[in-house]
Amino acid sequence: MTYIPRRHFLKAASLSALAGALPLVSKAAPHFDNMDPDKDSERIYFINDGIFYRPADYIQQLQLIQQQHPITRDFYGTDGTLKELLDKCCEITGKEAAIYMPSGTLANQLALQVLSGDHPKVMVQESSHVYRDEADAAQTVFNKRLIPLGKDQAAFTLEELKQAISWHKTEEAFEAPVGALSIETPVRRFSNTFFPLEDITAITAYCREQGIKTHLDGARLHISAAFTGNKVIDYTKNFDTVYLCLYKYLGAQGGAILCGEKKVIDKMPHLLKVHGGGIFTNWGNAAMALHHLQDIDGVLQASIKKAQALFKELNNISGIKITARERGTNIFDLHFDKQIDTVKAAKWLREEKGIIVGQPQAYGASRMMVNPTILRRDNAAITTAFSSALRISS
């Protein structure tokens, strides 16, 4: 697998980026002197995975999209602009069919329910969203038993999976087969650490041999692909189903797309209705996500390239240091010297320069998340703003 080594990230000279690959709202050249720190569309958010629009900016963006590519409504997710989005998701994931889901939780749960069939066990990461953040839906609603792997880790190995399957076969009085396996990458609960692609390939190959179906929680899959030098399809081709989030980096207000074999996706409309997930029309989310999906790879590459240069410049400033994480993606650590009033510095950056950084974490650093909002300002302006904040707060 080719990826950007974390220890070399800050020293790398550049990454290739597609020409003109900026979000539509950022087509103008980055500026600084005339920026309005109170205007959300001009702020830099080092706290998000993508662009999270406020209502006025969201409406303006939809108007621009409408002018560029007229939006057409759908009827319960079957046609219009949403159909275009579904087709695009099938194209990038290499899957036969796709369906709109109101949430990633429902996408994950319905996928695992269908894939596992009558088999009660589902293997998952202990740190995954499926295991930690979906209100025990697999157990309480779908009667599935989640078997966690890789405790206190972002990933697990093929050997760990084999050992767990063997243990459950030999140590339980009544054997209950494993029906499905779920993998999330990058892992939110481990600061967007990626699951190595070579491990994914080995694990899913073994699962196919054993008749175990596989699901990919790809809520932030484009981020994982961009920061490891892979393509989305390099991941998705290994799995039976994959879920993509529409708001974490594609700008929508919500929603998810579940992709997979037609025989699997064809079972979803009925399940959606049963669980109250059928939504009359979804054109707003579909139009926004489809717009950003057209050039998301180029935008993320441009963001990475800009962050590389910016972090190198910021590390030349006395008082702060930005470090990368092992197997990290878009989250870095911002360390302030002890004499710096970090609350004051963050407040000044937000109020005076429209630059939002995260609050200090328990381990002593603030998180710096790379996303397309970094493209809204040139690096010299951002560096100057940080220098001023340090002088004011030291």
Side-chain angles (χ1 to χ4, degrees):
M1 179 184 75
T2 58
Y3 66 93
I4 305 170
R6 308 310 299 156
R7 61 184 179 275
H8 296 319
F9 181 92
L10 300 178
K11 297 180 181 179
S14 65
L15 283 176
S16 59
L18 300 180
L22 301 182
L24 193 151
V25 294
S26 302
K27 289 293 186 182
H31 60 283
F32 180 66
D33 292 337
N34 298 322
M35 63 79 57
D36 181 354
D38 293 324
K39 188 174 182 180
D40 196 63
S41 60
E42 296 187 1
R43 288 185 168 193
I44 298 175
Y45 284 93
F46 286 115
I47 58 173
N48 297 328
D49 282 319
I51 298 174
F52 287 76
Y53 294 99
R54 290 188 180 181
D57 295 307
Y58 194 91
I59 292 169
Q60 181 184 32
Q61 181 76 344
L62 280 180
Q63 290 174 331
L64 292 171
I65 292 171
Q66 171 69 11
Q67 295 171 12
Q68 190 180 69
H69 184 73
I71 303 168
T72 54
R73 66 181 180 178
D74 60 286
F75 180 74
Y76 286 104
T78 57
D79 48 14
T81 297
L82 183 54
K83 178 62 165 57
E84 294 183 58
L85 175 62
L86 297 177
D87 290 343
K88 182 66 176 179
C89 289
C90 287
E91 175 190 331
I92 66 174
T93 61
K95 300 304 180 187
E96 289 181 326
I99 187 169
Y100 178 86
M101 297 274 179
S103 72
T105 293
L106 193 58
N108 283 334
Q109 293 297 325
L110 292 185
L112 293 174
Q113 165 70 1
V114 171
L115 291 177
S116 59
D118 294 332
H119 296 341
K121 290 191 179 76
V122 176
M123 296 293 193
V124 297
Q125 292 146 286
E126 194 275 337
S127 59
S128 67
H129 194 277
V130 168
Y131 189 70
R132 301 279 293 276
D133 299 291
E134 298 186 2
D136 293 332
Q139 299 94 314
T140 59
V141 178
F142 298 102
N143 298 313
K144 298 299 177 181
R145 180 181 174 190
L146 300 184
I147 309 298
L149 301 172
K151 183 173 174 56
D152 298 325
Q153 302 292 326
F156 57 88
T157 65
L158 174 57
E159 188 58 33
E160 288 177 86
L161 174 62
K162 288 181 177 180
Q163 289 176 359
I165 292 176
S166 176
W167 189 94
H168 282 277
K169 281 184 177 180
T170 59
E171 298 298 324
E172 294 188 343
F174 301 95
E175 181 185 347
V178 175
L181 173 142
S182 175
I183 287 178
E184 175 186 342
T185 187
V187 185
R188 182 185 69 84
R189 280 190 172 271
F190 268 80
S191 299
N192 287 358
T193 297
F194 67 81
F195 200 120
L197 182 56
E198 62 265 30
D199 289 341
I200 286 175
T201 302
I203 289 168
T204 53
Y206 172 77
C207 287
R208 282 192 295 275
E209 293 174 0
Q210 301 299 311
I212 300 171
K213 298 296 185 179
T214 56
H215 171 68
L216 174 60
D217 180 340
R220 297 167 174 82
L221 184 56
H222 275 90
I223 292 172
S224 196
F227 278 83
T228 58
N230 296 301
K231 296 179 180 178
V232 165
I233 201 167
D234 293 333
Y235 294 92
T236 60
K237 67 183 181 183
N238 296 290
F239 295 87
D240 294 292
T241 56
V242 56
Y243 135 63
L244 302 174
C245 180
L246 300 186
Y247 72 85
K248 289 183 175 66
Y249 48 84
L250 296 179
Q253 292 175 301
I257 302 295
L258 180 66
C259 306
E261 287 184 288
K262 188 175 185 299
K263 65 181 182 180
V264 173
I265 301 303
D266 282 349
K267 296 179 181 180
M268 296 301 167
H270 175 73
L271 291 174
L272 268 178
K273 186 65 175 177
V274 168
H275 293 284
I279 300 178
F280 176 59
T281 187
N282 312 273
W283 56 264
N285 287 332
M288 186 66 74
L290 180 63
H291 166 73
H292 284 285
L293 197 57
Q294 301 300 327
D295 61 359
I296 186 62
D297 295 322
V299 168
L300 288 176
Q301 289 297 318
S303 301
I304 292 171
K305 180 180 178 181
K306 198 166 190 296
Q308 287 178 306
L310 174 64
F311 292 170
K312 184 177 181 180
E313 293 175 19
L314 290 177
N315 278 339
N316 288 327
I317 300 175
S318 177
I320 61 172
K321 184 174 181 61
I322 298 175
T323 58
R325 290 168 165 261
E326 185 66 25
R327 290 217 317 258
T329 55
N330 68 324
I331 297 181
F332 298 79
D333 286 329
L334 170 62
H335 304 266
F336 288 94
D337 284 356
K338 292 182 178 180
Q339 72 272 17
I340 303 298
D341 184 334
T342 57
V343 174
K344 186 176 181 180
K347 184 174 184 291
W348 188 87
L349 284 169
R350 174 188 288 268
E351 295 180 352
E352 299 298 325
K353 301 301 178 184
I355 297 174
I356 293 84
V357 298
Q359 294 296 317
Q361 302 295 302
Y363 56 86
S366 299
R367 300 199 310 176
M368 289 277 282
M369 300 181 70
V370 175
N371 60 62
T373 65
I374 197 175
L375 303 175
R376 294 172 172 174
R377 206 87 51 81
D378 61 68
N379 282 353
I382 301 172
T383 303
T384 299
F386 271 89
S387 295
S388 299
L390 291 173
R391 286 197 305 271
I392 291 169
S393 57
S394 60

